[in-house]
């Protein structure tokens, strides 16, 4: 049984605790939060409560830690937990920059402790199936992935506050970028366009990624309506993925006229699949997942770094 400690008690942690308790050989044992640990623990029947993150790190009963604080706090907490030999699953983005992400992965390697960014999309059955059948559309020539939300909020909201790690690219853009990277790898050229709002953070953006034989576009926003959608164009057809970041359906349309549909569902809320992978890796003594590797995480972080340096 893998006993989890949770750092941070927000909405995302609520989804995690339900999924972690659903997964076989997994249970949430403790929660640490400076503000609402008591309320969270009572709601989700978590037996142990900490107000100090270091106390959770020193709890020898805990095997693995899920980090879901605001983005700028990830680095310090992840490094603390890894130094205490705790396996770590950290919400995306793992680091605020590539240097932070690299340091996390380097420490995990040095300590021989599991570390993974919680890019849950890559572990969904529909996305795993996509990787198996993508050859049907031949050579991938173009990818478009978009993830937009419209949040009416001011500078007190974490998405629009630079000191809280705000920005559409870090929170929303990482999904289409990770999806494109999964399919095409590291681009040869990166061309970002970011709209920076009145609070000094990016609110709308598009990044064009150029490859030797393909072009891809990631679109994202926190301040305007848009789609949660991806489409992959090959020289023999295309694959459409509605709601791609929580995908349950693939629509395959081949140039030959053949159309296929793959439909699956989440067992609970979708978080269970990344937790299953983490539990399997931890029990097998592995320090990273083959589905979302340390290198994947670092390479995506470098793309984000480049986009910010170029624009802001």
């Amino acid at each position: 049984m893998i006993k989890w400690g949770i750092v941070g008690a927000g909405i995302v942690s609520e989804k995690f605790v339900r999924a972690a308790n659903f997964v076989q050989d997994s249970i949430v044992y403790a929660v640490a939060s400076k503000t609402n640990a008591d309320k969270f623990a009572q709601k989700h029947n978590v037996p142990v409560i900490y107000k100090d993150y270091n106390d959770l790190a020193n709890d020898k009963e805990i095997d693995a830690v899920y980090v879901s604080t605001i983005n700028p706090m990830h680095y310090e907490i992840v490094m603390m937990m890894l130094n205490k030999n705790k396996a770590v699953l950290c919400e995306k983005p793992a680091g605020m920059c590539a240097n932070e992400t690299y340091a996390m992965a380097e420490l995990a390697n040095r300590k021989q402790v599991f570390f993974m960014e919680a890019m849950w999309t890559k572990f969904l059955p529909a996305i795993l199936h996509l990787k198996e059948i993508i050859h049907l559309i031949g050579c991938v020539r173009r990818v478009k992935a978009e993830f937009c939300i419209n949040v009416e909020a001011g500078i007190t909201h974490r998405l629009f506050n630079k000191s809280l790690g705000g920005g559409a690219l870090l929170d929303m853009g990482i999904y289409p970028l990770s999806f494109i990277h999964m399919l095409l790898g590291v681009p040869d050229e990166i061309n970002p366009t970011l709209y920076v709002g009145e609070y000094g953070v990016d609110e709308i953006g598009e990044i064009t990624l150029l490859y030797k034989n393909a072009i891809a576009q990631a679109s994202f926003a926190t301040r305007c309506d848009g789609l949660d959608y991806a489409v992959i164009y090959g020289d023999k057809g295309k694959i459409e993925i509605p709601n791609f970041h929580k995908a349950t359906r693939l629509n395959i349309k081949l140039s030959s006229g053949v159309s296929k549909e793959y439909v699956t569902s989440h067992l609970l809320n979708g978080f269970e699949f990344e937790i299953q992978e983490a539990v399997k890796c931890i029990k097998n003594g592995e320090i990273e997942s083959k589905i979302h590797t340390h290198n994947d995480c670092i390479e995506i972080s470098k793309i984000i770094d480049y986009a910010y340096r170029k624009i802001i």
Side-chain angles (χ1 to χ4, degrees), residues 1-4 16 19-20 23-27 64 87 89 114 116 272-286 289:
M1 182 68 69
I2 300 299
K3 290 184 177 180
W4 289 91
F16 179 87
V23 169
Q24 186 177 358
D25 295 335
S26 169
I27 191 167
L89 179 62
F114 177 80
M116 187 175 84
E272 62 273 17
F273 301 109
E274 69 176 357
I275 297 170
Q276 286 174 343
E277 174 70 7
V279 168
K280 182 197 76 174
C281 289
I282 294 166
K283 293 181 75 171
N284 289 341
E286 298 168 0
S289 166

